[in-house]
């Protein structure tokens, strides 16, 4: 579902440039002067390399002139943005608070002055690791190390949810209470407002909205909620353990079980009746099932996970509404897209609703 960029900080042969024409979003001279003054070792002129893995945030690897120091620079995409999308200050706040507590890239410098290059940006340390987007990404990981990777992935989520938000300085990241209720209302409004442009409505969305609202589990202690915690937003190091969690731009405070529910939906298994991602990394042999990961999370956090199926339905509902909004914007011509791609997006919206409705029936019984 991720329409946000993922920072992929992989080593490799650089495709380097110092040209303004090809380094989108960055005023080279002013950015290099600003960074040189604030990040020791990074001396201009830099060698710039665009990093892959994201949909829109402009993320580059920058290396000092003598090639002795390297970092990553990140800013929002060009053009008009939604009010809370691509929030660099939120990402910066999260990695700054979590550095030396949770595996995240090292925070090096943040620039809020939009006169430097037209938008806020920040500089972080380069991570020796690789995000997993498809099953092919795990080919180089041996079967015996895949269990280690999965355990490290769920252990890291448990560690995030065990942080004291007041102690680490993230008390102002968002409202703590009624996370699911607020999210359900927000994304249902999105569905309603996008229906005309999308030319698509589905009675099951309205049914899911009613069911979710009528049976909300009591929220426990609020924690940081990443909001998009999957193997696509985690850098796995050479030892197959989590080297860094990235893409914190939609992180907030709320119900940690909502985060866990999202992650378990993303952990697609071969025997799933449904599944939005047919080439998910977790389909590779050697990975444990959800039950193993959920039990490990419960042991580490001491949380009651008996209502997890509710949160999995909630996240599928949310995903369907997000994709529906994206589909509506595509139909309005806000992004060039072929008819085949448009049809595929519509089919994906309906497939996620199928999945949500099937899981809702498992939780509450057939309507």
């Amino acid at each position: 579902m991720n329409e946000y960029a993922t920072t992929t900080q992989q080593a490799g042969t650089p495709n380097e440039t110092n040209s303004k024409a090809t380094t989108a979003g960055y005023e080279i001279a002013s950015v290099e002067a600003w960074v040189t003054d604030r990040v020791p070792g990074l001396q201009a002129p830099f060698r710039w390399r665009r990093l892959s893995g994201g949909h829109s945030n402009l993320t580059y690897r920058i290396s000092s002139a003598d090639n002795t120091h390297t970092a990553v620079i990140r800013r929002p995409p060009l053009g008009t943005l939604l009010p809370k999308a691509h929030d660099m200050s939120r990402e910066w706040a999260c990695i700054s608070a979590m550095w030396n507590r949770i595996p995240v890239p090292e925070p090096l410098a943040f620039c809020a002055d939009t006169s430097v290059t037209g938008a806020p940006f920040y500089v972080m340390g380069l991570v020796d690791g690789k995000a997993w987007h498809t099953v092919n990404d795990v080919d180089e990981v041996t079967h015996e190390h895949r269990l280690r990777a999965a355990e490290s992935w769920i252990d890291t989520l448990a560690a995030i949810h065990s942080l004291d938000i007041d102690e680490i300085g993230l008390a102002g990241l968002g409202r703590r209470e009624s996370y699911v209720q607020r999210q359900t209302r927000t994304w249902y409004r999105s569905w309603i407002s996008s229906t005309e442009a999308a030319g698509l409505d589905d009675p099951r969305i309205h049914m899911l909205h009613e069911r979710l609202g009528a049976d909300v589990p009591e929220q426990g202690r609020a924690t940081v909620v990443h909001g998009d915690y999957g193997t696509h937003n985690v850098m796995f190091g050479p030892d197959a353990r989590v080297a860094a969690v990235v893409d914190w731009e939609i992180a907030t405070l709320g119900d940690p079980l909502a985060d866990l529910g999202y992650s378990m939906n993303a952990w697609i298994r071969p025997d799933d009746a449904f599944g939005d991602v047919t080439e998910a990394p977790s389909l590779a042999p050697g990975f444990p099932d959800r039950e193993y990961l959920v039990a490990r999370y419960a042991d580490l956090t001491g949380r009651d996970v008996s209502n997890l199926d509710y949160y999995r339905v909630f996240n599928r509902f949310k995903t369907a509404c997000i994709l529906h909004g994206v589909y509506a914007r595509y139909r309005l011509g806000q992004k060039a897209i072929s008819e085949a791609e448009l049809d595929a997006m519509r089919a994906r919206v309906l497939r996620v609703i199928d999945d949500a409705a099937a899981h809702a029936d498992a939780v509450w019984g057939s309507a």
Side-chain angles (χ1 to χ4, degrees):
M1 62 163 277
N2 187 10
E3 66 173 308
Y4 304 94
T6 301
T7 308
T8 303
Q9 302 177 25
Q10 294 172 244
T13 303
N15 177 16
E16 290 151 347
T17 177
N18 266 338
S19 167
K20 282 186 180 181
T22 54
T23 311
Y26 292 93
E27 294 292 333
I28 297 295
S30 58
V31 169
E32 290 189 348
W34 189 94
V35 173
T36 295
D37 285 345
R38 290 162 179 82
V39 182
L42 275 173
Q43 297 295 315
F46 299 156
R47 301 165 67 192
W48 292 71
R49 176 194 174 196
R50 181 74 182 267
L51 295 180
S52 62
H55 291 87
S56 51
N57 284 333
L58 303 174
T59 308
Y60 286 80
R61 189 180 79 174
I62 51 175
S63 301
S64 59
D66 60 5
N67 208 33
T68 59
H69 291 77
T70 303
V72 172
I73 191 168
R74 182 163 162 91
R75 62 148 287 170
L78 301 171
T80 303
L81 305 177
L82 296 174
K84 295 183 179 181
H86 311 284
D87 189 342
M88 299 296 100
S89 64
R90 182 172 294 267
E91 289 200 359
W92 174 257
C94 287
I95 67 170
S96 297
M98 294 186 183
W99 175 243
N100 287 329
R101 293 182 173 95
I102 299 295
V104 293
E106 181 180 4
L108 297 176
F110 175 75
C111 180
D113 182 359
T114 58
S115 69
V116 176
T117 194
F121 66 89
Y122 69 93
V123 184
M124 59 184 167
L126 184 73
V127 175
D128 183 12
K130 179 180 180 180
W132 297 345
H133 297 266
T134 73
V135 69
N136 293 330
D137 291 328
V138 303
D139 283 349
E140 62 202 54
V141 181
T142 62
H143 284 211
E144 56 267 30
H145 286 168
R146 290 177 186 178
L147 176 60
R148 173 196 293 176
E151 289 178 342
S152 178
W153 180 73
I154 200 66
D155 292 358
T156 302
L157 183 63
I160 293 168
H161 293 165
S162 298
L163 293 171
D164 185 317
I165 54 182
D166 296 301
E167 179 185 336
I168 66 174
L170 288 179
L173 196 63
R175 289 175 57 186
R176 305 186 188 204
E177 72 284 350
S178 306
Y179 175 81
V180 169
Q181 294 94 321
R182 290 185 284 111
Q183 288 277 303
T184 301
R185 287 195 299 269
T186 294
W187 293 110
Y188 186 62
R189 285 196 299 267
S190 172
W191 179 279
I192 297 299
S193 64
S194 299
T195 296
E196 183 176 353
L200 173 64
D201 198 3
D202 192 305
R204 295 173 296 174
I205 283 291
H206 309 291
M207 174 272 292
L208 288 165
H209 175 252
E210 291 179 5
R211 285 183 162 186
L212 289 167
D215 193 27
V216 185
E218 181 178 352
Q219 178 178 311
R221 178 179 63 86
T223 71
V224 174
V225 173
H226 183 277
D228 196 11
Y229 189 84
T231 61
H232 60 298
N233 279 329
V234 164
M235 312 295 296
F236 291 93
D239 62 355
R241 291 185 172 92
V242 173
V245 182
V246 297
D247 205 354
W248 292 91
E249 64 183 297
I250 61 171
T252 188
L253 304 181
D255 192 332
L257 293 181
D259 234 10
L260 179 63
Y262 174 87
S263 298
M264 290 302 99
N265 283 352
W267 193 259
I268 306 296
R269 300 300 293 149
D271 58 351
D272 285 350
F274 295 95
D276 186 45
V277 183
T278 58
E279 296 184 351
S282 51
L283 291 172
F287 286 121
D289 57 25
R290 292 191 193 94
E291 290 74 18
Y292 178 87
L293 296 175
V294 171
R296 188 176 178 93
Y297 174 93
D299 287 343
L300 289 168
T301 62
R303 287 195 177 87
D304 178 4
V305 296
S306 58
N307 285 320
L308 187 59
D309 282 343
Y310 172 95
Y311 293 98
R312 294 188 63 195
V313 174
F314 157 74
N315 275 288
R316 286 190 166 89
F317 165 84
K318 176 180 173 179
T319 298
C321 293
I322 291 173
L323 292 174
H324 183 256
V326 174
Y327 175 66
R329 293 195 292 275
Y330 286 177
R331 286 195 79 212
L332 289 173
Q334 294 181 12
K335 180 178 179 180
I337 188 170
S338 70
E339 283 297 321
E341 291 172 316
L342 199 60
D343 290 344
M345 175 62 77
R346 179 187 177 94
R348 188 179 177 197
V349 173
L350 295 173
R351 190 165 64 249
V352 175
I353 298 173
D354 288 342
D355 206 353
H359 279 79
D361 287 346
V363 175
W364 293 292
S366 300

